[in-house]
Amino acid sequence: MTICDFEIRPAVTADFGQLCDLFRELDDLHRQARPDLFRKLDGPPREFADVESLIAGPESTILLAEDRMLRQVIGFETLILRDIVAHGVRRTRRIVEIDNLGVRNDARRRGVGRALVQEAFGWSADLGCAGVELTVYAFNAAAVSFYEKIGFATVTRRLGAPVAK
């Protein structure tokens, strides 16, 4: 598959089943790396109402990468408009957050993730935002490398330590 073999489009509620498959794959990756933080759910990996709300917007959207020939979803991203309020010395700003980004294992390294992120920048620009931000877990070295290669840089680090019992 080359970059021309898929298209990016907004999700519709009829995509829920295919989105669940991709959420499951993404959740499995996180759960395998950090079972202390992530658990397996009974039922769908996301509630239909939550997905429907993200699709409906207007301050959010889910974009899909769909294989043109197979009409199968091979990647997705959830985008959420965030207003960061001024606090002390921090300025008010408006950003788009990539809340989730996932590409099917068999569709990786073909430009799908890059194309989805480019669409996020377009959606952000249409809303007059200052930029696009995301959070990536430190264990996910492949994702960190991907984001750095396409121009993202660390803005802040969140550190954690368990409480001794």
Side-chain angles (χ1 to χ4, degrees):
M1 178 187 300
T2 64
I3 197 162
C4 298
D5 292 324
F6 64 87
E7 63 186 355
I8 307 296
R9 66 169 176 83
V12 296
T13 55
D15 296 313
F16 181 71
Q18 289 190 78
L19 271 168
C20 282
D21 292 341
L22 288 166
F23 273 118
R24 235 179 245 107
E25 194 171 310
L26 187 61
D27 294 348
D28 286 347
L29 171 81
H30 288 82
R31 190 173 45 260
Q32 288 167 7
R34 291 296 306 264
D36 58 315
L37 295 178
F38 299 98
R39 61 188 170 93
K40 186 172 177 121
L41 297 175
D42 295 327
R46 302 296 183 276
E47 294 293 328
F48 180 82
D50 294 339
V51 171
E52 183 178 44
S53 176
L54 287 166
I55 289 170
E59 296 187 347
S60 61
T61 192
I62 299 178
L63 298 178
L64 304 178
E66 184 175 67
D67 182 289
R68 290 178 200 256
M69 191 177 341
L70 301 175
R71 303 314 300 170
Q72 183 177 44
V73 176
I74 57 174
F76 80 106
E77 67 182 339
T78 58
L79 304 176
I80 302 172
L81 180 64
R82 302 269 190 220
D83 287 311
I84 312 298
V85 296
H87 184 273
V89 298
R90 186 178 67 204
R91 297 179 187 272
T92 297
R93 60 197 176 93
R94 178 170 263 206
I95 63 158
V96 165
E97 178 184 1
I98 299 175
D99 189 48
N100 289 286
L101 174 72
V103 176
R104 269 188 15 201
N105 283 331
D106 63 355
R108 290 192 179 154
R109 306 198 63 77
R110 298 177 179 161
V112 176
R114 182 180 292 269
L116 284 164
V117 171
Q118 285 308 114
E119 288 294 321
F121 277 100
W123 196 72
S124 180
D126 291 346
L127 295 172
C129 294
V132 175
E133 295 184 12
L134 55 90
T135 300
V136 61
Y137 281 92
F139 68 78
N140 197 344
V144 171
S145 176
F146 165 74
Y147 290 122
E148 289 175 345
K149 284 179 186 171
I150 61 173
F152 284 83
T154 301
V155 175
T156 185
R157 283 186 191 234
R158 183 181 181 124
L159 305 175
V163 175
K165 295 182 180 183

